[in-house]
Amino acid sequence: MQRTSLRVPGLPGVVAGVEKTLEALDAPTLMLVVQTPRSAYEDVLALLSAGSVLSITDRPEKQAEYELLTTSYEGHGNADAIIDVTAAVRLPGVFWRDAVETTLTTDLTSDSVVADTWRMTGLVTDAVIRVRGTTGLRLISSTAYVDYPPALTSGSYFRYECATGRAFVTTTDTWTGGTEVSGAVEDDGPGDKFGIYPWRPTPLESMARLRVASTARAAGAKVELRGRGAHLV
């Protein structure tokens, strides 16, 4: 965790809540140890250097991209025939992610609807959100938001790409292309773009939070959320 220590002259301590907890996370470093015959040392180095995704045997549903930082080894036995290779790797994206991308769909039947989302404890900043048939659209997650006021017909789709902050409208059921409407969008959140935060409906649950507000809806209005959940562990 990295914290900004903002002092107010004449007052003790620092100002709390300067930044959101998840946004203040630094890229964590993990230590991995691989025991191998010394003859296979180069192969282990090649594997660590070429690999890009880390996973855990008993949690195959989660994975994390990694970068190799350093390696060293300690020998054992006659002529160090067996060595313990220690590698320091960094998770640049901070969070473990769902290994499989999913698309969740929720019908918009009222002025404010909580959309189906992932169970997660992290922050998602690369999801793609698509909304059909709304007027006065507002997407909300914690203090992050996206506003798109124009009316969408029952056959028009508004698509917002969180990773880039760009938005498009299509008149066909597609997740690519379309007419760019980024200039008609007002958004804010992590990195000045929209992000999806977790919340706790109960003390033992944590899941993504996406609320969809609209002033009017055409027939078949719905929201679709495509991406991968993010996890602290």
Side-chain angles (χ1 to χ4, degrees):
M1 181 73 68
Q2 290 187 342
R3 288 294 193 187
T4 299
S5 296
L6 177 63
R7 292 295 307 275
V8 176
L11 295 180
V14 297
V15 178
V18 174
E19 54 201 340
K20 289 181 174 293
T21 299
L22 294 177
E23 294 176 23
L25 291 175
D26 198 5
T29 299
L30 307 179
M31 303 301 293
L32 306 177
V33 180
V34 180
Q35 189 171 82
T36 180
R38 186 183 181 92
S39 59
Y41 179 47
E42 291 291 334
D43 294 332
V44 172
L45 288 183
L47 176 63
L48 291 169
S49 299
S52 61
V53 176
L54 188 67
S55 61
I56 300 176
T57 302
D58 62 355
R59 294 210 314 260
E61 72 281 2
K62 298 177 184 178
Q63 63 185 28
E65 294 185 0
Y66 76 87
E67 298 174 330
L68 178 64
L69 299 181
T70 63
T71 61
S72 61
Y73 70 87
E74 179 180 356
H76 306 281
N78 294 333
D80 291 344
I82 301 296
I83 59 174
D84 290 336
V85 181
T86 301
V89 301
R90 179 175 62 184
L91 308 186
V94 179
F95 304 109
W96 294 82
R97 305 298 301 274
D98 291 340
V100 178
E101 182 181 75
T102 55
T103 301
L104 305 174
T105 302
T106 304
D107 293 331
L108 301 179
T109 56
S110 64
D111 290 351
S112 181
V113 174
V114 176
D116 291 336
T117 53
W118 311 289
R119 289 188 174 274
M120 68 177 204
T121 52
L123 168 64
V124 174
T125 59
D126 59 0
V128 180
I129 303 169
R130 196 173 70 159
V131 181
R132 173 184 174 185
T134 61
T135 300
L137 173 66
R138 185 175 178 90
L139 305 172
I140 310 162
S141 183
S142 184
T143 57
Y145 68 89
V146 173
D147 285 339
Y148 183 69
L152 295 168
T153 66
S154 59
S156 296
Y157 298 80
F158 168 80
R159 186 178 77 252
Y160 183 85
E161 300 176 353
C162 295
T164 62
R166 298 176 68 185
F168 303 85
V169 168
T170 64
T171 55
T172 57
D173 186 356
T174 179
W175 288 83
T176 59
T179 301
E180 184 162 5
V181 293
S182 301
V185 170
E186 182 179 346
D187 54 2
D188 194 20
D192 296 325
K193 296 185 288 287
F194 183 75
I196 301 175
Y197 291 85
W199 72 298
R200 291 189 176 277
T202 71
L204 298 180
E205 292 181 288
S206 182
M207 60 192 305
R209 177 72 160 180
L210 177 63
R211 182 178 294 276
V212 184
S214 55
T215 57
R217 291 153 303 281
K222 63 181 180 180
V223 59
E224 296 167 285
L225 177 64
R226 174 173 289 187
R228 298 181 298 147
H231 311 272
L232 290 170
V233 293

